[in-house]
Amino acid sequence: MSTLYIIGTPIGNLGDIGPRALEVLGQVDFIAAEDTRVSMKLLNHFGIKKPMISYYQHNIRERGEQILRRIQAGESCAVITDAGMPCISDPGEELVALCHDAGVPVRVVPGPTAALSALAASGLPTGRFAFEGFLSVKPSSRRERLAQVRGDSRTLIFYEAPHKLRGTLSDMAEAFGGERRITLCREITKIYEEYMRTTLAQAVELYREREPKGEYVLIVEGAPEEKGPSLTFGEAVELVVQMAGCGVSLSDAAKNVAADSGYRKGELYRAALEKR
């Protein structure tokens, strides 16, 4: 039994491939590629000649079993996608699970990923984020998903094709509000690489006139976090009473504490009045 290698490949600039990726590609027995024609260009550029087998969305089940049997028979395999990391919104996830279930060793050779590259360059919060990948091509399903993540406070990452961009931006503005910030990342690492940080409303207006070109990663600001009261109701009432005992009117004390705590002035006033 040999090993399955998950290998990240460049997302645009061939210079981004690492020495270890080239070494492993040159050593494995065969390569499982999303599109063998695209991968052949990469291999030819670096003078790597290896047998390839196509492994894409519509032959996952059949080819996955074939690849597994070959690995179990002693061959090593590298799985690559057209660009970036396999298994991330690209074929490979099922093959990796199949190998794990069969006890086949799995190793990863990290490489470029469009999602994290775009997030790093977005200028939006990076501490907590959620990767949403591609939204549905069906408008109703796309709107339904956007409604589901509307309240998510994490930065959201989406992939989008140029012919769907206008519809997606409009649906996002409607779901999230036009003031929500977005960074549109286009053609990352390529000649026409571009990052535009703006609002959803402004992005919609811009692309009414501008023709979308290239592949996009959309980094969308998360929803504002709702802040709960910093004090319990009992603590807030006690504070009103203490302030009133220091010469502040009960009404003003209730008003000030209400502004800081989020509780209603009238409720605080009545509770403090009873407490006194």
Side-chain angles (χ1 to χ4, degrees):
M1 182 184 298
S2 194
T3 303
L4 175 71
Y5 292 93
I6 306 165
I7 299 184
T9 57
I11 56 178
N13 190 320
L14 293 181
D16 291 335
I17 197 165
R20 182 167 171 243
L22 294 175
E23 179 183 359
V24 175
L25 286 171
Q27 291 177 348
V28 295
D29 295 298
F30 70 103
I31 296 170
E34 181 182 6
D35 187 327
T36 55
R37 295 166 300 180
V38 173
S39 296
M40 184 63 73
K41 296 176 183 177
L42 173 71
L43 298 180
N44 285 342
H45 181 82
F46 291 103
I48 298 172
K49 299 188 181 300
K50 289 289 174 178
M52 282 196 291
I53 181 173
S54 64
Y55 179 74
Y56 57 96
Q57 191 63 39
H58 300 294
N59 70 358
I60 282 175
R61 184 181 299 274
E62 173 192 352
R63 288 295 168 84
E65 293 289 347
Q66 292 178 15
I67 294 168
L68 176 61
R69 287 195 296 270
R70 291 180 64 173
I71 296 174
Q72 289 175 319
E75 293 186 87
S76 57
C77 172
V79 59
I80 61 176
T81 186
D82 290 352
M85 283 298 296
C87 314
I88 310 299
S89 279
D90 273 307
E93 178 182 354
E94 295 82 359
L95 178 59
V96 172
L98 199 62
C99 287
H100 278 301
D101 290 342
V104 168
V106 175
R107 300 290 182 267
V108 65
V109 181
T113 58
L116 294 185
S117 298
L119 178 64
S122 69
L124 293 175
T126 61
R128 298 175 64 244
F129 58 90
F131 177 66
E132 289 290 324
F134 287 101
L135 290 164
S136 174
V137 296
K138 188 177 180 181
S140 59
S141 297
R142 181 172 67 224
R143 295 183 191 116
E144 181 180 356
R145 182 57 190 163
L146 292 173
Q148 290 172 350
V149 299
R150 176 169 46 211
D152 197 329
S153 61
R154 297 171 295 180
T155 300
L156 302 174
I157 305 174
F158 300 88
Y159 286 164
E160 196 51 278
H163 67 279
K164 289 171 49 195
L165 182 68
R166 286 173 173 150
T168 293
L169 289 176
S170 294
D171 288 343
M172 284 181 172
E174 183 175 348
F176 301 152
E179 294 306 308
R180 186 83 71 91
R181 291 185 297 174
I182 180 175
T183 299
L184 296 95
C185 310
R186 186 174 74 91
E187 296 289 89
I188 299 172
T189 77
K190 301 177 183 178
I191 295 176
Y192 297 107
E193 184 172 9
E194 179 183 41
Y195 302 92
M196 183 178 65
R197 190 171 70 153
T198 182
T199 65
L200 281 167
Q202 291 170 337
V204 169
E205 288 302 315
L206 175 67
Y207 278 98
R208 289 189 200 280
E209 304 295 332
R210 182 177 179 178
E211 188 67 27
K213 294 181 180 180
E215 299 299 321
Y216 287 81
V217 182
L218 307 178
I219 310 295
V220 183
E221 181 180 31
E225 292 193 18
E226 294 185 4
K227 296 183 179 179
S230 57
L231 301 172
T232 66
F233 185 72
E235 290 171 337
V237 171
E238 184 62 33
L239 184 57
V240 172
V241 173
Q242 290 176 4
M243 291 177 65
C246 294
V248 180
S249 73
L250 193 64
S251 177
D252 285 344
K255 179 180 179 181
N256 292 335
V257 174
D260 291 336
S261 68
Y263 296 112
R264 293 180 181 277
K265 173 190 172 183
E267 294 175 345
L268 292 172
Y269 180 85
R270 287 189 293 273
L273 193 61
E274 292 175 4
K275 194 173 182 67
R276 292 181 70 187

